[in-house]
Amino acid sequence: MVATSTLKSKNAECISELIDRRYDQTFLDDELDYWDHSLVEPNLNSEVLEDRACQQLAKMFENCLSRAKKTKLHCSEVLVPEKLTRRIARDVLRMASGEPCGLRGCVLHVLLEVENMCKKLERIAYDPSVVPTFELTLVFKQDGSAWPSLRDFFLIGACFAPRFRHALKLSPGFRLIKRKLYSSSAGTVVEEY
């Protein structure tokens, strides 16, 4: 069904024509009410697109952690607090909103802070076909309050492989650092959560 001004005003002639074609009156009223609502709230589509971008970005962070698990973090699993990647994705989208190319012009450096040192996990160009206009550095933090698991102490060969830990638990806190690439006068923005 196409939303037009005649349907929006629920033109009686148009509705009777549709009823003649064997459409149910309640179905038509519901459909027309939907279009009335959609035309009144055009921002609904932008919210849906923003939510989809947020989900995709959160999935990118989860995939990054998954790839880095054995190669750079030397652990068998990474424990991520609930909704952490979603919160980060929302903040990244917010920081990208004022940029000329938005998120498409972003290069994202993902790091993990462990014992006051940062390990580089990955560099992500959100859209490699676009010349980057800004960089974001995301710093995940290790949860320092976590006690090591008893399984870590009893793993066979654990005393011979001190660089490999069973699980790495992330803190709910993180840091985002934004640096604009197109403006020398623009400073660096650091946001800590």
Side-chain angles (χ1 to χ4, degrees):
M1 180 173 284
V2 178
T4 65
S5 60
T6 57
L7 289 178
K8 183 177 179 248
S9 64
K10 299 182 184 178
N11 186 325
E13 180 181 309
C14 182
I15 291 174
S16 64
E17 180 183 326
L18 291 173
I19 291 173
D20 289 341
R21 292 184 187 168
R22 304 215 188 273
Y23 285 100
D24 182 44
Q25 180 69 40
T26 56
F27 169 78
L28 290 174
D29 289 339
D30 290 343
E31 283 294 309
L32 294 173
D33 287 340
Y34 168 79
W35 286 109
D36 286 346
H37 179 72
S38 294
L39 293 172
V40 171
E41 294 187 27
N43 293 335
L44 191 60
N45 287 338
S46 64
E47 289 174 17
V48 169
L49 290 176
E50 185 176 314
D51 189 51
R52 186 176 300 140
C54 188
Q55 288 173 353
Q56 289 174 341
L57 200 52
K59 189 68 174 166
M60 284 175 70
F61 295 139
E62 291 165 8
N63 291 338
C64 171
L65 290 170
S66 179
R67 284 188 296 272
K69 190 169 42 175
K70 292 196 183 206
T71 58
K72 297 182 181 177
L73 299 177
H74 305 291
C75 62
S76 61
E77 60 185 339
V78 177
L79 304 174
V80 181
E82 186 178 1
K83 298 182 183 176
L84 175 65
T85 56
R86 186 111 169 133
R87 277 186 23 232
I88 294 170
R90 266 197 318 267
D91 288 330
V92 167
L93 287 171
R94 181 182 49 78
M95 292 179 97
S97 66
E99 292 300 317
C101 297
L103 189 59
R104 294 179 58 228
C106 178
V107 172
L108 192 65
H109 299 278
V110 183
L111 305 151
L112 173 67
E113 186 178 295
V114 180
E115 299 167 2
N116 295 326
M117 292 179 53
C118 285
K119 287 185 178 185
K120 185 175 181 179
L121 302 182
E122 198 167 325
R123 178 186 181 273
I124 301 169
Y126 191 80
D127 186 348
S129 68
V130 175
V131 175
T133 58
F134 71 105
E135 288 181 336
L136 282 177
T137 303
L138 165 62
V139 182
F140 285 106
K141 297 179 180 182
Q142 181 179 8
D143 189 352
S145 66
W147 281 80
S149 166
L150 284 177
R151 288 187 305 187
D152 290 343
F153 291 116
F154 295 115
L155 285 174
I156 298 173
C159 59
F160 299 111
R163 291 181 43 90
F164 189 84
R165 66 176 79 77
H166 183 65
L168 173 73
K169 184 177 180 185
L170 296 182
S171 163
F174 60 94
R175 186 178 324 123
L176 273 174
I177 304 162
K178 179 180 179 180
R179 187 171 72 93
K180 294 185 180 190
L181 301 176
Y182 58 89
S183 174
S184 59
S185 64
T188 302
V189 178
V190 178
E191 293 188 10
E192 188 116 11
Y193 300 93

